[in-house]
Amino acid sequence: MPCLRKDILETLPPNTFNPSDCFMKKIYDINRADNMCYQKCLSHDNLCPLFGECSETDLDTSGLPCTDQSTAGRQLFEEGPTGPVFAAHAKYHVEKRTKIVITENVIDFWQS
């Protein structure tokens, strides 16, 4: 059974970025941080490795929060509280070299 993880921000060490900083500073801090080695897995009810042979995968599907992009939300875009999720998601998959990443999206996200 594949691993199922709840929060991509848990791939980063605690306090990696300051929530009150601007988005570019958060990206800088996230990119400088090392990823965690293990994360709580909902499938296995255990700490599962994030990297290494036993964690290799060619495909990831994720639903990233769109509240900061949504017309129903405050439209803070990358400066909103969910901005770091996108940076952490990208960092994780770049480091992991995931071949195919499928993310849920809404049309307004790509038009903004």
Side-chain angles (χ1 to χ4, degrees):
M1 179 174 256
C3 289
L4 178 62
R5 297 183 170 95
K6 185 177 177 182
D7 187 350
I8 193 71
L9 291 177
E10 292 176 0
T11 63
L12 301 171
N15 304 312
T16 294
F17 60 90
N18 181 342
S20 63
D21 285 342
C22 72
F23 182 66
M24 292 308 294
K25 174 72 166 98
K26 291 175 190 170
I27 286 180
Y28 177 79
D29 291 340
I30 288 169
N31 283 336
R32 287 187 49 218
D34 290 329
N35 279 311
M36 301 294 285
C37 296
Y38 296 90
Q39 185 180 12
K40 175 76 174 170
C41 172
L42 301 175
S43 299
H44 304 115
D45 193 30
N46 200 0
L47 289 174
C48 288
L50 290 169
F51 300 95
E53 188 176 318
C54 64
S55 69
E56 288 181 9
T57 183
D58 291 334
L59 171 69
D60 176 84
T61 58
S62 300
L64 302 179
C66 61
T67 53
D68 292 322
Q69 286 79 25
S70 170
T71 55
R74 294 187 353 214
Q75 295 187 308
L76 298 172
F77 302 102
E78 68 274 0
E79 293 298 339
T82 63
V85 172
F86 292 85
H89 185 261
K91 175 184 176 54
Y92 174 72
H93 288 292
V94 165
E95 187 168 327
K96 200 166 178 57
R97 297 182 178 189
T98 309
K99 293 180 175 120
I100 302 170
V101 178
I102 300 171
T103 57
E104 172 194 23
N105 64 64
V106 294
I107 195 164
D108 289 344
F109 178 74
W110 301 109
Q111 293 178 350
S112 57

